[in-house]
Amino acid sequence: MSSIFVNLPTNDLDRAKSFYTSLGFGINPLFTDENAACIVIDDNIYFMVLTKEYFATFTDKAVADTKTSAQALIAISRDSREDVDKTLEAGLAAGGSEPRPVQDYGFMYNRDLEDPDGNILEFLYMDPKAAEQGPEAYMAEQGASA
């Protein structure tokens, strides 16, 4: 079994921990200190939120300013449209912002949440039949085009 660790830079580690826990995620204290926090998304997916200074020790490249540049868009599925909306509401209340309008493709519902550091998370719900069949086959079955 594999695990995914997504490393994200932050200007304020305590603020980042508060933001991510407000979304319902946990923190693994075994991998959390003054330089980093291990945010538990689920059993196999983790965000390592690192101070910018510590993040910079893992690369020879310049660390992107996530307020003005996008380095990655991280998509996380939810169990329903309502769960997407609840996650966004919690993130907005915790200091995040919604940089784009809701994207509703019929088979997929997507909302973007920008954390206080500018990292972009995409929370989405995809109809299980669309995920199984592919969006074009699903939409054709629904009498629409993807």
Side-chain angles (χ1 to χ4, degrees):
M1 178 182 315
S2 297
S3 294
I4 297 173
F5 292 85
V6 177
N7 296 287
L8 299 172
T10 183
N11 290 313
D12 185 332
L13 187 58
D14 288 333
R15 180 187 67 198
K17 290 190 295 189
S18 177
F19 177 79
Y20 285 104
T21 57
S22 77
L23 299 179
F25 303 137
I27 294 179
N28 182 335
L30 298 175
F31 297 95
T32 299
D33 61 19
E34 69 280 354
N35 293 311
C38 180
I39 309 298
V40 181
I41 307 301
D42 77 9
D43 291 342
N44 297 306
I45 302 172
Y46 308 89
F47 286 176
M48 292 302 299
V49 182
L50 313 170
T51 63
K52 275 197 173 178
E53 298 78 17
Y54 191 55
F55 184 95
T57 66
F58 293 95
T59 181
D60 292 332
K61 294 182 177 184
V63 177
D65 178 356
T66 51
K67 289 285 191 184
T68 60
S69 301
Q71 169 117 0
L73 303 173
I74 303 161
I76 302 171
S77 65
R78 304 279 86 185
D79 291 332
S80 68
R81 289 171 177 253
E82 295 77 21
D83 287 346
V84 170
D85 290 339
K86 284 171 45 177
T87 301
L88 260 285
E89 289 166 16
L92 294 171
S97 63
E98 189 168 12
R100 296 179 45 168
V102 172
Q103 306 292 306
D104 190 345
Y105 301 102
F107 67 94
M108 184 173 73
Y109 179 76
N110 182 75
R111 290 181 70 183
D112 291 356
L113 178 64
E114 191 170 299
D115 78 6
D117 287 296
N119 298 298
I120 300 172
L121 310 173
E122 298 178 324
F123 289 95
L124 66 98
Y125 168 74
M126 184 181 297
D127 186 293
K129 286 180 76 175
E132 184 180 301
Q133 298 173 339
E136 288 186 23
Y138 175 81
M139 294 304 284
E141 184 179 277
Q142 303 301 313
S145 60

